[in-house]
Every structure is written in C-alpha cells, then in structure tokens.
Amino acid sequence: MKSKVNGVMLARLAVSLVLLVAATGKLLDPAGFGAAIERYRLVPPLVAGGLALYLPWLELALALAWWSSRWRRSAGVLICALLAVFVFAVASSWMRGLDIRCGCFGKALDSSLPLALARNVVLLLAAGWVWRTDQNRKRVGEFE
C-alpha cells in the first residue's frame, strides 16, 4: 500500500504543479490568453475574454484545494472535468485543421496541438487515477 500511496502523491503533485505553472503563465498575460482562447473558435470573443480572466484563478484554486482533505474529492472531480474540456478543445481544434499553438501556459511555454493533446490526456489519466484511488481509500477509511 505504501508504494501506491507514494505514486498517488507523486501524480497529485505532478498534476498540481502543471496547473500552477499553467495558471501563472495565464495570469501574467490575460489578454494573450484571451486571444489564444479565441483562436480555438469554440466560444465568442466576449466569452473568451471572461474565460481568460476566470480560468487561471480556477486552475490555481483547484491545484491548491486538491491538497486539502476537506476539498480533495470536489477538487479532483473538477480537475478531471477541466482536463476533459481541455482535451476536447485541443482535439477539436486539431481535427478541424487549425494551425494554432495551445496557449496552455501562456506565450513562454506554448506548444503544438498534438503535444498539448498528449499532455492533457496524460494529465487527465493521472488525475482520474488519483481521484479514483482517493475514493477507494475513503471507502475503507484509509484517508490521511
């Protein structure tokens, strides 16, 4: 059980750090992030602007809340949902042949859509595994 707990902690740390780095890059350039959202052509410009202001704070809050025993389950569900939306947005844009950068981390760490898709799928799988393991541990009274 010890190695499984360590693996869960490592996966939680990795996903949390990615969310923190992504949030920081977006918070430093909300206008650039809004433009990146618009390039996906999934939402109108007004919605893109709102997302550019709101989404980084949500990522930041979820990354921190995932470490709180009180908010862990809810944060896990929301992280998985957020990553699923990211997977959909990136996959949809790639399938529509859009030649854009992902905008996931702001301009400094921008990546291609295939790389962003792979990264988001791996993060979603890791987050889902952590959430599911947390659920199983809660059921048997092993929560830390």
Side-chain angles (χ1 to χ4, degrees), residues 61-117:
L62 289 175
L64 297 175
W66 214 14
W67 291 93
S68 162
S69 59
R70 177 181 176 133
W71 299 107
R72 181 171 290 150
R73 292 173 65 197
S74 299
V77 169
L78 291 173
I79 287 169
C80 288
L82 191 62
L83 288 168
V85 168
F86 293 166
V87 166
F88 168 79
V90 172
S92 166
S93 298
W94 190 27
M95 289 186 330
R96 287 181 288 138
L98 298 180
D99 187 20
I100 61 174
R101 306 299 284 173
C102 77
C104 305
F105 297 95
K107 291 180 185 173
L109 300 172
D110 224 352
S111 60
S112 66
L113 291 181
L115 179 59
L117 180 60

Side-chain angles (χ1 to χ4, degrees), residues 15 20 31 36 46 49 61 65 77 118 142:
V15 173
L20 288 172
L46 185 61
V77 169
E142 295 178 19

Side-chain angles (χ1 to χ4, degrees), residues 21-74:
V21 170
T24 302
K26 294 167 189 168
L27 286 169
L28 293 174
D29 184 16
F33 180 49
I37 293 172
E38 284 184 40
R39 288 190 296 269
Y40 280 85
R41 295 190 226 160
L42 293 171
V43 295
L46 185 61
V47 174
L51 285 172
L53 295 175
Y54 171 72
L55 191 58
W57 291 107
L58 177 62
E59 290 174 332
L60 183 64
L62 289 175
L64 297 175
W66 214 14
W67 291 93
S68 162
S69 59
R70 177 181 176 133
W71 299 107
R72 181 171 290 150
R73 292 173 65 197
S74 299

